[in-house]
Amino acid sequence: MGAVALAAFVFVVLLLVASITVSFASSEWIRPARMVGGGVRRWSGYILMFVGAWFLLLSVLSSPIIS
């Protein structure tokens, strides 16, 4: 149970830091991120496909790789 609580705590802290950082970001900081938005969407799609394939692999194996 401690690992789940720690993971939840880290996730909440990361979300808070990200939201505070974005709220203080100026338009000059955001402009370069908008220019690479298409690339980010493409790579995030590849990452999601990889994670999905990993979960499928774990579901068909009789013994898990990570124990």
Side-chain angles (χ1 to χ4, degrees), residues 12-39:
V12 168
V13 168
L14 287 174
L15 283 175
L16 285 173
V17 168
S19 65
I20 291 170
T21 302
V22 168
S23 70
F24 285 115
S26 64
S27 62
E28 291 84 25
W29 292 2
I30 296 174
R31 187 172 299 121
R34 287 186 181 181
M35 299 174 98
V36 297

Side-chain angles (χ1 to χ4, degrees), residues 40-64:
V40 170
R41 280 191 294 252
R42 189 176 319 110
W43 280 105
S44 63
Y46 293 145
I47 292 170
L48 283 175
M49 287 189 296
F50 175 75
V51 169
W54 177 252
F55 283 138
L56 283 174
L57 176 68
L58 288 178
S59 69
V60 298
L61 292 177
S62 60
S63 64

